[in-house]
Amino acid sequence: MTKVRTQYNRRSFIKISAAAGGGMLIGFSWLTGCTSDPKIEKVEIPNEWYEINGYIKIGDTGLVTIYSPNPEIGQNVRTSMPMIVAEELDVDWKNVVVEQAPLNTGFYQNQFAGGSLSIRLSWNALRMAGATGRRMLLEAAAKEWEISISDLIVAQGVIKEKNGERTITYGEIASKAVDIEVPEEIELKEISEFNLIGTSKKNVDGYKIVTGKPLYGLDFKRDGMQLAVIQHPPAFGMKVKNFNEEEIKGMDGIKDAFIIDTTIEDPDWNDEKGFLQLIAIVGDSTWQLMKAKRAINANWETVSELENSEMHLKKLEDAFASGTVGANRKDGDPDAAFDKASKIIERTYSSPFLPHNTMEPMNFFANVTDNSAELIGPTQMPEPTEKSVSKLLNIPLENITVNMTRMGGGFGRRLYVHYALEAAAISKKIGAPVKLIYTREDDMSQGTYRPAYQSRYKAGLDENNNLVAFSVRGTGLPEGSVFPNRFPAGTIDNYLAESIGVETNVTTGAWRAPRSHFTAGAEQSFLDEVAEAAGKDPIDFRLELFDRAINNPVGEKHDYEAERYAGVLKLVKEKSNWGETKQGVYRGVAAYFCHSSYVAEVVDIVLLNGQPKIKKVWCAVDCGIVVNKDAAENMIQGGVIDGIGHAMYSQLTFNNGAVNEMNFDRYQLIRHSQAPEDIEVFFVKNDIAPTGLGEPGLPPAVGALANALYQATGQRLTRQPFANHIKEKVLLG
Amino acid sequence: MPTYTLKINGKSHTVEADSDTPLLWILRDHIELLGTKYGCGIGQCGACTVHVNGNASRSCSLLVSQLQGMEITTIEGLSEEGDHPVQKAWIEHDVPQCGYCQSGQIMSAAVLLKNNPNPSDKDIDAAMNGNICRCGTYVRIKQAIKTASKL
């Protein structure tokens, strides 16, 4: 056991208990059993519940409710966060049910889903919440039996006397535990004592998902609720002037139509920067609203330049010469070293804008009254939603509630809160509760896109094929994709990294593993080419660089731990039998560090009728302690497919400010037949507190794919989407 | 507005709706069967897949006026207890991430297995290619279909 001081006092627990007890009955049951199999005998529903602390409520039958604080976007925190609490509480997982906690930033810290941070930031808080509960239950039992707490042991929710016959369950003692003072110091388990963390527990929502129960924002209903759709201008750089309001209002099933304005003072990074004035149509049938949307005849005015994809490419090219350098790093004298180098390798890599395309389009419920607002829906950022709605409506924060539904995907898209503000503006205008629904076309063409990037890499080798000079210069709309202090910084004497931003009026933002997904693809395929030019095996070549970072690092600092980076490469080398050659199988490798985690991947490709087919992907992952093993593997597998799919097939292009790809007929997402046949995941075992998992699996897949495609086709693919640039004759040859 | 009588999950439902209303919105707005999901509205993503006379069909692309007398089954009607072999296999493999597309995936897989109890990888790809999973659970879906074929 490790003794730690708790972060809480009694007051904060009471505060959250009150919030958790009320205000959560929002239309459908949030209670989710932790077993997905309905046939497993469950503990009876309690008659009385006892709030132990803001994370734990225990029923008189022994059923335990654990509140999951963070938004669920498919990263499975609704299972893994309660697992951490249950581990330290020491309760049988079968007796646990999970509820989504309400937004309460005074109590729960970091109630958001982004940056692969949920588990990483809440690891200690969740452990302490469980351990505090266990301690209070033990104290209550000790008091009841008039013995010392040190004479008690507990396992799976049953407290036993060490030297006696008496036992009592959590359910039996819970009513007395609520009166125990919250301890100021508690004991956490040793990592070696974990018996729940590190096992595989099924998704607590699994049964509801496979039986089609309403879980998502789009499924939310409230009596008297209206439905609404919006129409944004057809192009970035345009603004609505007016529209055929009376004609729309006269259509079947349409109750109202008007223009909303969601401009707020001091917008934050996750507030809308593009379309602030929108046409809104209100009715009670989704289909009739969609028909009314098609009947809109609006006058739009052009307020800034209407951009197109050719212009974007040129802007990025031009910025290499004329752009302003932002983040940068320089070690040694790169110019002189390149002059002296005996071999120079140079490549430019590029990738297009990408929409997130969560399968559940943007939507939100809002019920705004004169001095209150209730918001319910899919958001990765409930707290900023609350703040921005408060600014928009000029209603104090304490009169605004935000509740989180399960989300049909996030990928960064729901870090941006505008669609909740739009719902609030519509509800305010009509004076009734409303659910705003985006069509797929709205969702794809009013995005907060992954920026478009171009990066130029240059490497210099000396006569002994040592890497003596390296530079990367990255331009992007609106930011370059360069991490100056990441690998290979620290491994090369003469090193230059420069990030250059270029202005655009296309709205952009975080997209799963921001910048890392592009950088990993570019850098890792460039290093593959450099290794080849140096006549070295690509894994050995990287390991040599890591040796340099370990033994004699260049510069003051770098962002990664070279031993762990090398560790995942060695693990994937071993697991994939790297070096073994198979007729007709082409291999590529890549490794990347982001979100504090290390992932190396090997991709095997075969050619079927001249088309590349991915047979297998091996992944070696160091993300510290793994909480829910099988679910963690699922996240990595999903990241690999996400990375491969977008690098291979997806792009969003523009013409006169308008998006050309509005739906899945023109926009390509990876499908079943294009996915790898198998993906095997291996975790490095260590006792390091958990680091990121949702994002780090994606970036190396892009590089490993490009490198395997090179082996298969002889082409270095530098422009995404790769499928558009693989030369047909190469494949057929 | 005209009225239509539809047979959904073995029960008869009478709805009043425009004749061009897609089945998807009849299910979601009129009958409150919310397991069938809206993804694209143009039959490209498969999130809205239901069974019509035993065939996997995109409910966003079928009009209410064309469906009288047909047997419609949604995810809610696939099994009484949520224990159709495909549903059981989905849980065994813990397939879902966000879960939004999965009812459509399950409905497509159920028809595939009914028509072809032992599908090859190629058969699975062909039958499932119309169902997009943005989270990338394709490998697990394939494994779950193979498991379901043995249940």
Side-chain angles (χ1 to χ4, degrees), chain A residues 26 217-227 362-368 373-378 385 389 401-403 405 419-424 427 432-437:
Chain A
I26 55 175
L218 210 57
D219 302 338
F220 181 75
K221 294 208 170 189
R222 167 81 55 87
D223 283 346
M225 176 184 93
Q226 300 289 304
L227 299 175
M362 299 306 111
N363 65 86
F364 231 83
F365 169 85
N367 185 14
V368 176
E374 181 190 13
L375 282 298
I376 298 167
T385 302
V389 168
T401 61
V402 175
N403 276 305
T405 58
Y419 50 99
L421 271 68
E422 291 157 14
S427 175
V434 72
K435 183 172 72 183
L436 168 66
I437 300 168

CSV table of all heavy atoms in Angstrom, one decimal, chain A residues 26 217-227 362-368 373-378 385 389 401-403 405 419-424 427 432-437:
chain,number,residue,atom,x,y,z
A,26,ILE,N,-32.8,12.4,-17.6
A,26,ILE,CA,-33.0,13.1,-18.8
A,26,ILE,C,-33.5,12.3,-20.0
A,26,ILE,O,-33.1,12.4,-21.1
A,26,ILE,CB,-31.7,13.9,-19.2
A,26,ILE,CG1,-30.6,12.9,-19.3
A,26,ILE,CG2,-31.4,14.9,-18.2
A,26,ILE,CD1,-29.3,13.5,-19.8
A,217,GLY,N,-27.0,11.4,-28.7
A,217,GLY,CA,-27.6,12.7,-28.7
A,217,GLY,C,-28.8,12.7,-29.7
A,217,GLY,O,-29.9,13.2,-29.4
A,218,LEU,N,-28.6,12.1,-30.8
A,218,LEU,CA,-29.6,12.1,-31.9
A,218,LEU,C,-30.8,11.3,-31.4
A,218,LEU,O,-31.9,11.5,-32.0
A,218,LEU,CB,-29.0,11.5,-33.2
A,218,LEU,CG,-29.6,12.0,-34.5
A,218,LEU,CD1,-29.4,13.5,-34.6
A,218,LEU,CD2,-28.9,11.4,-35.7
A,219,ASP,N,-30.7,10.4,-30.4
A,219,ASP,CA,-31.8,9.6,-30.0
A,219,ASP,C,-32.6,10.3,-28.9
A,219,ASP,O,-33.6,9.8,-28.4
A,219,ASP,CB,-31.3,8.3,-29.4
A,219,ASP,CG,-30.5,7.5,-30.4
A,219,ASP,OD1,-30.6,7.7,-31.6
A,219,ASP,OD2,-29.7,6.6,-30.0
A,220,PHE,N,-32.1,11.4,-28.4
A,220,PHE,CA,-32.7,12.1,-27.2
A,220,PHE,C,-34.1,12.7,-27.6
A,220,PHE,O,-34.2,13.3,-28.6
A,220,PHE,CB,-31.8,13.2,-26.7
A,220,PHE,CG,-32.4,13.8,-25.5
A,220,PHE,CD1,-32.4,13.2,-24.2
A,220,PHE,CD2,-33.0,15.1,-25.6
A,220,PHE,CE1,-33.0,13.7,-23.1
A,220,PHE,CE2,-33.6,15.7,-24.5
A,220,PHE,CZ,-33.6,15.0,-23.2
A,221,LYS,N,-35.1,12.4,-26.7
A,221,LYS,CA,-36.4,13.0,-26.9
A,221,LYS,C,-36.9,13.6,-25.6
A,221,LYS,O,-36.6,13.0,-24.6
A,221,LYS,CB,-37.4,11.9,-27.4
A,221,LYS,CG,-37.0,11.4,-28.8
A,221,LYS,CD,-38.2,10.9,-29.6
A,221,LYS,CE,-37.7,10.7,-31.0
A,221,LYS,NZ,-38.8,10.4,-31.9
A,222,ARG,N,-37.7,14.6,-25.8
A,222,ARG,CA,-38.4,15.2,-24.6
A,222,ARG,C,-39.8,15.6,-25.1
A,222,ARG,O,-39.9,16.1,-26.2
A,222,ARG,CB,-37.6,16.4,-24.2
A,222,ARG,CG,-38.2,17.4,-23.2
A,222,ARG,CD,-38.1,17.0,-21.7
A,222,ARG,NE,-36.8,16.7,-21.2
A,222,ARG,CZ,-35.9,17.6,-20.7
A,222,ARG,NH1,-36.3,18.9,-20.6
A,222,ARG,NH2,-34.8,17.3,-20.3
A,223,ASP,N,-40.8,15.4,-24.2
A,223,ASP,CA,-42.1,15.8,-24.6
A,223,ASP,C,-42.2,17.3,-24.9
A,223,ASP,O,-41.6,18.1,-24.2
A,223,ASP,CB,-43.1,15.5,-23.4
A,223,ASP,CG,-43.4,14.1,-23.3
A,223,ASP,OD1,-43.1,13.3,-24.3
A,223,ASP,OD2,-44.0,13.7,-22.3
A,224,GLY,N,-42.8,17.6,-26.0
A,224,GLY,CA,-43.0,19.0,-26.4
A,224,GLY,C,-41.8,19.6,-27.2
A,224,GLY,O,-41.7,20.7,-27.5
A,225,MET,N,-40.8,18.7,-27.4
A,225,MET,CA,-39.6,19.1,-28.1
A,225,MET,C,-39.8,19.3,-29.6
A,225,MET,O,-40.5,18.5,-30.3
A,225,MET,CB,-38.6,18.0,-27.9
A,225,MET,CG,-37.2,18.2,-28.6
A,225,MET,SD,-36.2,16.7,-28.3
A,225,MET,CE,-36.6,15.7,-29.8
A,226,GLN,N,-39.3,20.4,-30.2
A,226,GLN,CA,-39.4,20.6,-31.6
A,226,GLN,C,-38.1,20.1,-32.2
A,226,GLN,O,-37.1,19.9,-31.5
A,226,GLN,CB,-39.5,22.1,-31.9
A,226,GLN,CG,-40.7,22.8,-31.3
A,226,GLN,CD,-42.0,22.3,-32.1
A,226,GLN,OE1,-42.0,22.5,-33.3
A,226,GLN,NE2,-42.9,21.7,-31.4
A,227,LEU,N,-38.1,19.9,-33.5
A,227,LEU,CA,-36.8,19.6,-34.3
A,227,LEU,C,-36.4,20.8,-35.1
A,227,LEU,O,-37.2,21.6,-35.5
A,227,LEU,CB,-37.0,18.4,-35.2
A,227,LEU,CG,-37.5,17.1,-34.5
A,227,LEU,CD1,-37.8,16.0,-35.5
A,227,LEU,CD2,-36.4,16.6,-33.5
A,362,MET,N,-23.5,16.1,-36.1
A,362,MET,CA,-23.6,17.0,-35.1
A,362,MET,C,-25.1,17.2,-34.7
A,362,MET,O,-26.0,17.2,-35.6
A,362,MET,CB,-23.1,18.4,-35.4
A,362,MET,CG,-21.6,18.4,-35.8
A,362,MET,SD,-20.5,17.7,-34.5
A,362,MET,CE,-20.0,16.2,-35.3
A,363,ASN,N,-25.4,17.3,-33.4
A,363,ASN,CA,-26.8,17.5,-33.0
A,363,ASN,C,-26.7,18.0,-31.5
A,363,ASN,O,-25.7,17.7,-30.8
A,363,ASN,CB,-27.6,16.3,-33.1
A,363,ASN,CG,-27.1,15.2,-32.2
A,363,ASN,OD1,-27.5,15.1,-31.0
A,363,ASN,ND2,-26.3,14.3,-32.7
A,364,PHE,N,-27.7,18.7,-31.1
A,364,PHE,CA,-27.8,19.0,-29.6
A,364,PHE,C,-29.2,19.4,-29.3
A,364,PHE,O,-30.0,19.9,-30.1
A,364,PHE,CB,-26.9,20.2,-29.3
A,364,PHE,CG,-26.0,19.9,-28.1
A,364,PHE,CD1,-24.8,19.2,-28.3
A,364,PHE,CD2,-26.3,20.3,-26.8
A,364,PHE,CE1,-24.0,18.9,-27.2
A,364,PHE,CE2,-25.5,20.0,-25.8
A,364,PHE,CZ,-24.3,19.3,-26.0
A,365,PHE,N,-29.6,19.1,-28.0
A,365,PHE,CA,-30.9,19.5,-27.5
A,365,PHE,C,-30.6,20.7,-26.6
A,365,PHE,O,-29.7,20.8,-25.9
A,365,PHE,CB,-31.4,18.4,-26.6
A,365,PHE,CG,-32.6,18.8,-25.8
A,365,PHE,CD1,-33.9,18.7,-26.3
A,365,PHE,CD2,-32.4,19.2,-24.4
A,365,PHE,CE1,-35.0,19.1,-25.5
A,365,PHE,CE2,-33.5,19.6,-23.7
A,365,PHE,CZ,-34.8,19.5,-24.2
A,366,ALA,N,-31.6,21.7,-26.7
A,366,ALA,CA,-31.5,22.9,-25.9
A,366,ALA,C,-32.9,23.3,-25.4
A,366,ALA,O,-33.9,23.2,-26.2
A,366,ALA,CB,-30.9,24.1,-26.6
A,367,ASN,N,-33.0,23.7,-24.1
A,367,ASN,CA,-34.2,24.2,-23.6
A,367,ASN,C,-33.9,25.5,-22.9
A,367,ASN,O,-33.4,25.4,-21.7
A,367,ASN,CB,-34.9,23.1,-22.7
A,367,ASN,CG,-36.2,23.6,-22.2
A,367,ASN,OD1,-36.8,24.5,-22.7
A,367,ASN,ND2,-36.7,22.9,-21.1
A,368,VAL,N,-34.2,26.6,-23.6
A,368,VAL,CA,-33.8,27.9,-23.0
A,368,VAL,C,-35.0,28.6,-22.5
A,368,VAL,O,-36.0,28.7,-23.2
A,368,VAL,CB,-33.1,28.7,-24.1
A,368,VAL,CG1,-32.8,30.1,-23.6
A,368,VAL,CG2,-31.8,28.0,-24.6
A,373,ALA,N,-30.9,27.6,-19.0
A,373,ALA,CA,-30.7,26.9,-20.2
A,373,ALA,C,-30.2,25.5,-19.9
A,373,ALA,O,-29.4,25.3,-19.0
A,373,ALA,CB,-29.7,27.5,-21.1
A,374,GLU,N,-30.9,24.5,-20.5
A,374,GLU,CA,-30.5,23.1,-20.3
A,374,GLU,C,-30.1,22.6,-21.6
A,374,GLU,O,-30.8,22.7,-22.6
A,374,GLU,CB,-31.8,22.3,-19.8
A,374,GLU,CG,-31.6,20.9,-19.6
A,374,GLU,CD,-32.9,20.1,-19.3
A,374,GLU,OE1,-34.0,20.7,-19.6
A,374,GLU,OE2,-32.8,19.0,-18.9
A,375,LEU,N,-28.9,22.0,-21.6
A,375,LEU,CA,-28.3,21.5,-22.9
A,375,LEU,C,-27.9,20.0,-22.7
A,375,LEU,O,-27.4,19.7,-21.7
A,375,LEU,CB,-26.9,22.2,-23.2
A,375,LEU,CG,-26.9,23.7,-23.8
A,375,LEU,CD1,-27.6,23.7,-25.1
A,375,LEU,CD2,-27.5,24.7,-22.9
A,376,ILE,N,-28.3,19.2,-23.7
A,376,ILE,CA,-28.1,17.8,-23.6
A,376,ILE,C,-27.6,17.3,-25.0
A,376,ILE,O,-28.3,17.6,-26.0
A,376,ILE,CB,-29.3,17.0,-23.2
A,376,ILE,CG1,-29.8,17.4,-21.8
A,376,ILE,CG2,-29.0,15.5,-23.2
A,376,ILE,CD1,-31.2,16.9,-21.4
A,377,GLY,N,-26.5,16.6,-25.0
A,377,GLY,CA,-26.0,16.1,-26.3
A,377,GLY,C,-24.6,15.7,-26.3
A,377,GLY,O,-24.0,15.6,-25.3
A,378,PRO,N,-24.1,15.4,-27.5
A,378,PRO,CA,-22.8,14.8,-27.7
A,378,PRO,C,-21.7,15.9,-27.7
A,378,PRO,O,-21.6,16.7,-28.7
A,378,PRO,CB,-22.9,14.1,-29.0
A,378,PRO,CG,-23.9,14.8,-29.8
A,378,PRO,CD,-24.9,15.5,-28.8
A,385,THR,N,-18.8,24.4,-23.5
A,385,THR,CA,-20.2,24.5,-24.0
A,385,THR,C,-21.0,25.4,-23.0
A,385,THR,O,-21.7,26.3,-23.5
A,385,THR,CB,-20.9,23.1,-24.1
A,385,THR,OG1,-20.1,22.3,-24.9
A,385,THR,CG2,-22.3,23.2,-24.6
A,389,VAL,N,-22.4,29.1,-24.1
A,389,VAL,CA,-23.9,29.3,-24.0
A,389,VAL,C,-24.2,30.4,-23.1
A,389,VAL,O,-25.1,31.2,-23.4
A,389,VAL,CB,-24.6,27.9,-23.7
A,389,VAL,CG1,-26.1,28.2,-23.4
A,389,VAL,CG2,-24.5,26.9,-24.8
A,401,THR,N,-27.2,24.1,-17.4
A,401,THR,CA,-26.7,22.7,-17.2
A,401,THR,C,-26.4,22.1,-18.5
A,401,THR,O,-27.0,22.4,-19.5
A,401,THR,CB,-27.8,21.9,-16.5
A,401,THR,OG1,-28.9,21.8,-17.3
A,401,THR,CG2,-28.2,22.4,-15.1
A,402,VAL,N,-25.3,21.3,-18.5
A,402,VAL,CA,-24.9,20.6,-19.7
A,402,VAL,C,-24.8,19.1,-19.3
A,402,VAL,O,-24.1,18.8,-18.4
A,402,VAL,CB,-23.6,21.1,-20.3
A,402,VAL,CG1,-23.2,20.2,-21.4
A,402,VAL,CG2,-23.7,22.5,-20.7
A,403,ASN,N,-25.6,18.3,-20.0
A,403,ASN,CA,-25.4,16.8,-19.8
A,403,ASN,C,-24.9,16.1,-21.0
A,403,ASN,O,-25.3,16.5,-22.1
A,403,ASN,CB,-26.8,16.2,-19.3
A,403,ASN,CG,-26.9,16.4,-17.8
A,403,ASN,OD1,-26.1,16.0,-17.0
A,403,ASN,ND2,-28.0,17.0,-17.4
A,405,THR,N,-24.4,13.0,-23.6
A,405,THR,CA,-24.9,11.7,-24.1
A,405,THR,C,-23.7,10.9,-24.6
A,405,THR,O,-22.6,11.5,-24.8
A,405,THR,CB,-25.8,11.9,-25.3
A,405,THR,OG1,-25.2,12.6,-26.3
A,405,THR,CG2,-27.1,12.6,-24.8
A,419,TYR,N,-22.4,23.9,-32.4
A,419,TYR,CA,-23.7,23.3,-32.7
A,419,TYR,C,-24.6,23.3,-31.4
A,419,TYR,O,-25.8,23.4,-31.5
A,419,TYR,CB,-23.6,21.9,-33.3
A,419,TYR,CG,-22.7,21.0,-32.5
A,419,TYR,CD1,-23.2,20.0,-31.6
A,419,TYR,CD2,-21.3,21.0,-32.7
A,419,TYR,CE1,-22.4,19.2,-30.9
A,419,TYR,CE2,-20.5,20.2,-31.9
A,419,TYR,CZ,-21.0,19.3,-31.0
A,419,TYR,OH,-20.2,18.5,-30.3
A,420,ALA,N,-24.0,23.4,-30.2
A,420,ALA,CA,-24.8,23.5,-29.0
A,420,ALA,C,-25.3,25.0,-28.9
A,420,ALA,O,-26.5,25.2,-28.5
A,420,ALA,CB,-24.0,23.1,-27.8
A,421,LEU,N,-24.5,25.9,-29.3
A,421,LEU,CA,-24.9,27.3,-29.3
A,421,LEU,C,-26.0,27.5,-30.3
A,421,LEU,O,-27.0,28.3,-30.0
A,421,LEU,CB,-23.7,28.2,-29.6
A,421,LEU,CG,-22.9,28.7,-28.4
A,421,LEU,CD1,-22.1,27.5,-27.8
A,421,LEU,CD2,-21.9,29.8,-28.8
A,422,GLU,N,-25.9,26.9,-31.4
A,422,GLU,CA,-26.9,27.1,-32.4
A,422,GLU,C,-28.3,26.5,-31.9
A,422,GLU,O,-29.3,27.2,-32.1
A,422,GLU,CB,-26.5,26.3,-33.7
A,422,GLU,CG,-25.3,27.0,-34.4
A,422,GLU,CD,-24.5,26.0,-35.3
A,422,GLU,OE1,-25.0,24.9,-35.6
A,422,GLU,OE2,-23.4,26.4,-35.7
A,423,ALA,N,-28.2,25.4,-31.2
A,423,ALA,CA,-29.5,24.8,-30.7
A,423,ALA,C,-30.0,25.8,-29.6
A,423,ALA,O,-31.3,26.0,-29.6
A,423,ALA,CB,-29.2,23.4,-30.0
A,424,ALA,N,-29.1,26.4,-28.8
A,424,ALA,CA,-29.6,27.3,-27.8
A,424,ALA,C,-30.2,28.5,-28.4
A,424,ALA,O,-31.3,29.0,-27.9
A,424,ALA,CB,-28.4,27.7,-26.9
A,427,SER,N,-33.7,27.6,-29.6
A,427,SER,CA,-34.6,27.4,-28.5
A,427,SER,C,-35.1,28.7,-28.0
A,427,SER,O,-36.2,28.9,-27.6
A,427,SER,CB,-34.0,26.5,-27.4
A,427,SER,OG,-34.8,26.4,-26.3
A,432,ALA,N,-39.1,27.3,-26.8
A,432,ALA,CA,-39.5,25.9,-26.6
A,432,ALA,C,-38.2,25.0,-26.7
A,432,ALA,O,-37.2,25.4,-27.3
A,432,ALA,CB,-40.5,25.5,-27.6
A,433,PRO,N,-38.3,23.8,-26.1
A,433,PRO,CA,-37.2,22.9,-26.2
A,433,PRO,C,-37.0,22.4,-27.6
A,433,PRO,O,-38.1,22.3,-28.3
A,433,PRO,CB,-37.6,21.7,-25.3
A,433,PRO,CG,-39.0,21.9,-25.0
A,433,PRO,CD,-39.4,23.3,-25.2
A,434,VAL,N,-35.8,22.3,-28.1
A,434,VAL,CA,-35.6,21.9,-29.5
A,434,VAL,C,-34.4,21.0,-29.6
A,434,VAL,O,-33.4,21.1,-28.8
A,434,VAL,CB,-35.4,23.2,-30.3
A,434,VAL,CG1,-34.0,23.9,-30.0
A,434,VAL,CG2,-35.5,22.9,-31.8
A,435,LYS,N,-34.4,20.1,-30.6
A,435,LYS,CA,-33.2,19.3,-30.9
A,435,LYS,C,-32.7,19.7,-32.3
A,435,LYS,O,-33.5,19.5,-33.3
A,435,LYS,CB,-33.5,17.8,-30.8
A,435,LYS,CG,-32.2,17.0,-31.1
A,435,LYS,CD,-32.5,15.5,-30.8
A,435,LYS,CE,-33.4,14.9,-31.8
A,435,LYS,NZ,-33.6,13.5,-31.5
A,436,LEU,N,-31.5,20.2,-32.4
A,436,LEU,CA,-31.0,20.6,-33.7
A,436,LEU,C,-30.3,19.3,-34.3
A,436,LEU,O,-29.5,18.6,-33.6
A,436,LEU,CB,-29.9,21.7,-33.5
A,436,LEU,CG,-29.0,22.0,-34.7
A,436,LEU,CD1,-29.8,22.6,-35.9
A,436,LEU,CD2,-27.9,22.9,-34.3
A,437,ILE,N,-30.5,19.1,-35.6
A,437,ILE,CA,-29.9,18.0,-36.3
A,437,ILE,C,-29.2,18.5,-37.6
A,437,ILE,O,-29.8,19.2,-38.4
A,437,ILE,CB,-31.1,17.0,-36.8
A,437,ILE,CG1,-31.8,16.5,-35.6
A,437,ILE,CG2,-30.5,15.8,-37.5
A,437,ILE,CD1,-33.1,15.7,-36.0
